[in-house]
Amino acid sequence: MNRRQRYLSSSCWLSFFLITISFLSLLSACQEPSANGQSPAIRDTAITGQNAFSTLFFDSASLEKFLDERSMPDTARQLVRNFYNQRNYQFAWFDSTGVAEQALHFWNLQANYLEYSRDSSIYNPYLQAWADSVQANGMRTVPDSARERVEWQLTLQFFRYAAKAYMGDRQLNARDLNWYIPRKRVDILSMLDTLVKEKGKDINRYEPVNRQYALLRDQLKKYYEIQRLSSWTPLDITAKKLIRGDTGKAIIQLKNKLFLLGDLPVADSGNVFDESLELAIKKFQLRYGLKEDGIIGGSTLRELSQPLDYRIRQILVNIERIRWVPREPGSDYILVNIPEFKLHVYENGQYAHNMNVVVGTATNNTVIFTGNLKYVVFSPYWNVPPGILKKEVLPAIARDPSYLRRNNMEQYGNGQVRQKPGPQNSLGLVKFLFPNNFSIYLHDTPSKNLFKQDKRAFSHGCIRIAEPVWMATWLLRSDSSWTDAAIDKAMNAGKERFVTLKKEVPVFIGYFTAWVDREGRLNFRDDIYGHDKKMMGKMFN
């Protein structure tokens, strides 16, 4: 099967004549004015045949006619005009020798994207026919009469590709998918200009994507290879669990799966549950956030029994999410990954620390958003939220008049209730505020035992952290007055105290159920809020 057959869906041929309409739906909503062409660029008449990389130029009137033939928003038309204005209408994809290097580099880059994404929406049969002809007949294949049209189609195609590959599918409404982190913006005009100037070499250097994107993409290719070369059949296990020393046909199946996934380093066709298999299972369990006991059963068996197609879709969903997020900041920042139940700390852009967290239940989801951490609050009050007050506290008071006193609570204001500072306060001895519309923050907790659980979705939406003293010390480390003793005293003072940070720290609360860790291991986690399921329905329907 050739590339055209591989990538082309039956609807692509019908949509080819509307190719620029679909590409513009990606562009019109996602660019800054300087990037989407709303502001006209000044024509650079200093570029001439004597000083340009190519002696090939075209008439601006010909481009205008090409654009007029297509139904597209004015912003997209201006994007194309701006690109060629900056070049004084010099060809970008051709030179006097024929097809320029950057054209081939871009086409290979796009082919790689189409292969791993399996996304036929940007497939261009006109350009694919041209590319096939170049491959078969050489670099000077395009006659002069067709060169302009191929040139302009390639420019349009790059904008379509870049919008989809680097900013994600604009038909997926992030807010409808419970994602409130602002989506990344990319100046694709500048990106194309850089690609042409550098002749498409080392394009990975300036791909505007998160580091995790490339790591997940490589893992996705491995899963495609497993799918192509092997038979991923369900495990034939009738016993409730399998442990070291057991034998049987299921052990052979189990070893094969774990070898394909990379957890078992050497292929083994034996039917004995030996030490090497036990170690492989523990590696698997680590990657899935499960109890590392080396036993097959329960959650471990459930995860091993997932179809390969589901894992591929799970990776694709998370790759799409990564397209939405900005590049990693070079400053301090905090990242909470909800399905992982972990908080990660970065100092000057470098990984510094992680800790367990407790997040919201499936009923009380922790929201996916970003904010700036501004305050450390020692010995905090807990102001009972209206929902909890109505559903839990007021009924408890009605049943037991001593409820407030026993829980160190008091009424204040207009019937509101708060819990006084102290060791039994629901927020613990310190909280960390990044003001937001969702009333979500980081805080200590008296319920330390919950951090020992593998699955930690127990809160009403806020995020409980396992190491509050470490967090307070790290946030206040630039202030010499906040010694360990001073922090301990403030946490146990029994009197609320707000401390404003000298420099705000960005906090990202994300939702990633597949990622590659710092040791290069592919991790998966449960879709605890059903966000993957909803997104899969929209992406693969």
Side-chain angles (χ1 to χ4, degrees):
M1 182 180 290
N2 63 32
R3 278 189 298 177
R4 185 182 308 178
Q5 293 169 320
R6 219 168 40 235
Y7 302 143
L8 186 58
S9 68
S10 60
S11 63
C12 278
W13 289 99
L14 296 174
S15 64
F16 165 56
F17 295 103
L18 299 175
I19 194 166
T20 52
I21 298 176
S22 60
F23 124 76
L24 289 160
S25 70
L26 295 171
L27 292 177
S28 59
C30 62
Q31 298 297 313
E32 296 282 0
S34 62
N36 67 14
Q38 289 179 354
S39 302
I42 298 173
R43 182 169 179 173
D44 189 352
T45 55
I47 298 175
T48 67
Q50 285 70 43
N51 59 24
F53 88 93
S54 167
T55 58
L56 300 179
F57 289 78
F58 58 83
D59 185 358
S60 61
S62 299
L63 175 62
E64 288 301 320
K65 181 180 178 183
F66 173 82
L67 294 175
D68 287 343
E69 291 171 353
R70 280 149 183 78
S71 176
M72 61 176 73
D74 289 341
T75 52
R77 252 190 212 92
Q78 196 61 53
L79 182 66
V80 178
R81 289 191 190 105
N82 280 357
F83 175 65
Y84 285 111
N85 264 334
Q86 293 169 1
R87 303 179 55 76
N88 199 18
Y89 295 90
Q90 175 191 190
F91 278 77
W93 305 104
F94 294 89
D95 57 28
S96 57
T97 65
V99 180
E101 288 181 69
Q102 55 266 26
L104 299 180
H105 282 297
F106 162 56
W107 203 252
N108 289 335
L109 184 71
Q110 180 186 247
N112 184 48
Y113 167 80
L114 291 171
E115 183 175 12
Y116 76 78
S117 69
R118 299 186 177 179
D119 175 11
S120 64
S121 68
I122 67 166
Y123 181 85
N124 186 327
Y126 175 85
L127 287 178
Q128 186 62 59
W130 163 77
D132 290 345
S133 177
V134 169
Q135 186 175 18
N137 303 309
M139 305 284 277
R140 299 186 64 89
T141 299
V142 182
D144 293 348
S145 59
R147 188 167 52 199
E148 287 184 350
R149 184 163 295 272
V150 173
E151 165 76 20
W152 301 327
Q153 285 276 12
L154 277 169
T155 298
L156 289 171
Q157 188 65 17
F158 177 84
F159 290 146
R160 296 184 72 220
Y161 158 78
K164 195 72 176 288
Y166 301 135
M167 289 180 284
D169 189 343
R170 300 304 299 185
Q171 295 183 34
L172 292 174
N173 187 311
R175 287 180 174 260
D176 288 347
L177 296 166
N178 306 103
W179 186 279
Y180 295 95
I181 298 175
R183 287 180 66 154
K184 174 180 60 185
R185 298 171 185 265
V186 175
D187 188 343
I188 57 178
L189 185 58
S190 293
M191 189 179 177
L192 176 54
D193 190 54
T194 302
L195 181 142
V196 172
K197 286 179 178 176
E198 299 192 7
K199 302 189 180 225
K201 295 176 181 177
D202 300 323
I203 193 171
N204 291 338
R205 286 190 297 104
Y206 51 91
E207 281 186 323
V209 287
N210 190 289
R211 170 181 168 272
Q212 189 67 214
Y213 177 90
L215 296 173
L216 263 185
R217 178 186 61 197
D218 293 343
Q219 291 290 338
L220 177 63
K221 292 177 180 179
K222 291 180 183 178
Y223 267 69
Y224 284 147
E225 193 68 3
I226 293 172
Q227 189 180 54
R228 186 177 71 85
L229 296 176
S230 66
S231 175
W232 190 266
T233 55
L235 286 168
D236 184 17
I237 297 178
T238 55
K240 288 186 177 180
K241 65 179 181 180
L242 294 174
I243 61 174
R244 188 169 169 177
D246 286 343
T247 60
K249 180 182 176 182
I251 305 300
I252 302 173
Q253 285 184 295
L254 190 57
K255 287 181 176 180
N256 181 55
K257 281 185 183 290
L258 292 172
F259 172 69
L260 291 171
L261 295 176
D263 298 300
L264 187 65
V266 180
D268 183 354
S269 60
N271 69 346
V272 179
F273 194 138
D274 54 14
E275 181 182 7
S276 63
L277 179 57
E278 186 178 63
L279 290 173
I281 293 167
K282 288 180 179 179
K283 289 180 181 178
F284 177 88
Q285 291 168 330
L286 173 66
R287 295 192 300 110
Y288 284 72
L290 304 172
K291 183 180 178 182
E292 297 166 49
D293 57 11
I295 297 173
I296 292 294
S299 297
T300 303
L301 180 57
R302 175 174 61 86
E303 298 293 358
L304 270 167
S305 299
Q306 284 284 8
L308 209 59
D309 277 345
Y310 175 78
R311 291 299 180 208
I312 287 171
R313 291 186 173 199
Q314 192 174 8
I315 295 172
L316 285 167
V317 160
N318 284 274
I319 285 177
E320 177 66 20
R321 288 186 181 124
I322 289 169
R323 291 189 183 106
W324 300 352
V325 302
R327 286 183 175 182
E328 300 98 324
S331 59
D332 294 351
Y333 68 97
I334 294 167
L335 168 66
V336 176
N337 186 14
I338 295 169
E340 186 187 8
F341 309 111
K342 285 276 189 184
L343 179 150
H344 303 271
V345 177
Y346 292 79
E347 188 171 331
N348 296 321
Q350 300 300 311
Y351 197 71
H353 193 66
N354 73 76
M355 65 183 72
N356 289 343
V357 298
V358 171
V359 300
T361 63
T363 304
N364 302 291
N365 292 186
T366 296
V367 183
I368 303 163
F369 74 107
T370 186
N372 290 318
L373 202 157
K374 296 183 178 183
Y375 309 107
V376 178
V377 185
F378 293 111
S379 297
Y381 282 99
W382 177 48
N383 300 306
V384 181
I388 298 176
L389 180 65
K390 180 179 179 181
K391 294 178 182 179
E392 300 178 27
V393 175
L394 292 180
I397 293 172
R399 291 192 301 269
D400 179 7
S402 67
Y403 177 85
L404 289 179
R405 176 179 52 80
R406 289 190 300 99
N407 288 279
N408 198 31
M409 289 180 168
E410 63 183 12
Q411 289 184 314
Y412 72 104
N414 186 22
Q416 296 166 289
V417 173
R418 66 184 181 184
Q419 191 174 34
K420 300 175 186 178
Q424 295 309 309
N425 186 286
S426 294
L427 306 184
L429 302 175
V430 62
K431 67 179 179 180
F432 308 92
L433 299 183
F434 41 107
N436 58 81
N437 295 327
F438 308 107
S439 299
I440 288 179
Y441 45 87
L442 310 175
H443 65 87
D444 181 22
T445 176
S447 304
K448 307 293 187 185
N449 60 309
L450 294 179
F451 294 112
K452 299 176 182 178
Q453 303 293 321
D454 295 327
K455 313 292 183 184
R456 297 185 291 276
F458 299 111
S459 82
H460 285 89
C462 285
I463 300 163
R464 308 173 193 176
I465 64 175
E467 302 174 44
V469 176
W470 188 96
M471 181 63 76
T473 303
W474 183 73
L475 289 169
L476 297 169
R477 66 193 185 283
S478 62
D479 188 337
S480 59
S481 66
W482 283 106
T483 62
D484 292 348
I487 289 174
D488 181 70
K489 182 179 178 180
M491 288 178 68
N492 292 282
K495 183 178 180 180
E496 188 173 71
R497 179 178 179 182
F498 274 70
V499 178
T500 303
L501 296 181
K502 292 180 178 180
K503 187 177 182 180
E504 297 175 4
V505 177
V507 178
F508 299 90
I509 301 177
Y511 193 92
F512 299 99
T513 58
W515 72 92
V516 179
D517 64 25
R518 304 191 69 79
E519 284 71 43
R521 298 173 299 218
L522 177 60
N523 282 248
F524 290 105
R525 293 296 187 274
D526 284 344
D527 179 23
I528 58 174
Y529 296 160
H531 294 335
D532 277 12
K533 182 179 180 181
K534 187 174 181 179
M535 198 161 163
M536 286 180 188
K538 292 181 179 294
M539 287 178 65
F540 309 116
N541 193 11

